Amino acid sequence: MSTDPELLIERRGQALWLTIQREDRRNAINAAVLEALTAALADASRDTSVRAVVLTGTGTRAFCAGADLQTGQSFRFDYSQPHQALADLFRQARRCTVPLIARVNGACMAGGMGLLAMCDLAVASRSATFGLPEVKVGVFPAQVLAVLQHQLPRRVLNELCLTGEPMSADRALAAGLVNEVAEPEALDGAVHALLVRLLDKSPSAIRRGLYTLKQVESLGFEQAMAFTESQIGLFALTEDAQEGQAAFREKRTPNWTGR
């Protein structure tokens, strides 16, 4: 377990939980949070004993309210650097082959929508709200679009970006932004149930599968077919593929090695 004052990192069984600990600032993002999140995802990707990562915020008011505007430094970058910290976090999440699960416990706004979108799966409290309010303070969710644009219908995305007004958890579910909505008191149970559905599956299939999913998203049809033609052969060569097929034939539970 990490004692980082900004980000709590704790192991719960086969899952790594990352909890933003800035409840007084509605779990807003700052430089320390970005650095700690990026490092934690890189570590999780290297650790084959980590089967899933759960990202959430402290308390019940907010998952993440976006950049911490109170600092007055939120949009001041070192422009001599070609890469910025939030973009690097999104890049690291994109490279991650461990399933990332957003546990949306409250308001999910601005950069918080980016944290949500960089995750592979999401469970939200019915009390959660979602929005891109950047136009209200004279900016725009530019970097967030890179991870969010394929997850929402274009009209819904345009409305969120251009009006800055929030939407409810039920509407987020209908739009496909989250996988499930649970009552606040049942949120942890819903996250646990999702983890159970992941953790009994082949670790190698999920790891290589996430890699494949992320690669084909931006490819055209012929490119995607050529890429996946090569990938399916590699899937079949893993120990898990041999074990899974043998277990199917023998009508028993597979004993996964993750290799």
Side-chain angles (χ1 to χ4, degrees), residues 53 55 63 93 100-103 114-122 151:
V53 175
L55 174 60
F63 168 72
L100 307 181
I101 301 170
R103 175 190 176 272
L115 300 188
L116 166 64
M118 78 180 191
C119 292
D120 305 296
L121 300 162
Q151 297 189 7

Side-chain angles (χ1 to χ4, degrees), residues 32-44:
V33 168
L34 289 176
E35 182 179 358
L37 280 173
T38 303
L41 293 188
D43 290 343

Side-chain angles (χ1 to χ4, degrees), residues 21-241:
Q21 297 194 112
R22 307 190 73 227
E23 189 173 4
D24 60 329
R25 302 294 318 132
R26 289 165 54 87
N27 296 318
I29 301 167
N30 63 8
V33 168
L34 289 176
E35 182 179 358
L37 280 173
T38 303
L41 293 188
D43 290 343
S45 293
R46 290 188 291 264
D47 187 348
T48 56
S49 70
V50 175
R51 296 288 315 283
V53 175
V54 178
L55 174 60
T56 191
T58 300
T60 59
R61 293 176 58 223
F63 168 72
C64 175
D68 191 346
L69 300 182
Q70 292 296 330
T71 66
Q73 305 295 317
S74 298
F75 301 104
R76 295 182 182 178
F77 307 117
D78 179 355
Y79 288 106
S80 69
Q81 297 298 319
H83 297 156
Q84 305 301 331
L86 180 61
D88 279 342
L89 172 60
F90 293 158
R91 290 185 179 102
Q92 182 60 60
R94 185 76 173 183
R95 290 191 295 267
C96 191
T97 53
V98 178
L100 307 181
I101 301 170
R103 175 190 176 272
V104 187
N105 51 305
C108 177
M109 299 290 160
M113 288 281 276
L115 300 188
L116 166 64
M118 78 180 191
C119 292
D120 305 296
L121 300 162
V123 179
S125 167
R126 195 171 300 280
S127 62
T129 53
F130 303 80
L132 296 170
E134 283 89 340
V135 290
K136 296 181 179 181
V137 294
V139 290
F140 201 76
Q143 293 180 90
V144 172
L145 288 177
V147 289
L148 184 61
Q149 65 173 335
H150 297 301
Q151 297 189 7
L152 285 171
R154 199 69 189 186
R155 299 295 191 196
V156 176
L157 180 64
N158 290 349
E159 179 185 343
L160 287 171
C161 289
L162 300 176
T163 70
E165 299 300 328
M167 66 181 180
S168 67
D170 286 332
R171 190 177 177 205
L173 178 64
L177 187 59
V178 299
N179 296 90
E180 183 179 355
V181 170
E183 297 303 325
E185 64 274 12
L187 181 59
D188 283 338
V191 172
H192 175 73
L194 180 56
L195 285 169
V196 168
R197 292 166 57 200
L198 287 172
L199 298 181
D200 66 344
K201 307 307 188 302
S202 159
S204 66
I206 287 179
R207 192 161 53 244
R208 289 205 62 88
L210 266 178
Y211 169 76
T212 302
L213 279 167
K214 291 176 180 182
Q215 292 298 314
V216 300
E217 183 179 1
S218 60
L219 299 179
F221 174 75
E222 285 298 341
Q223 291 173 307
M225 288 308 304
F227 178 76
T228 54
E229 280 175 326
S230 65
Q231 289 301 303
I232 190 61
L234 296 177
F235 277 100
L237 291 174
T238 64
E239 291 180 10
D240 275 5

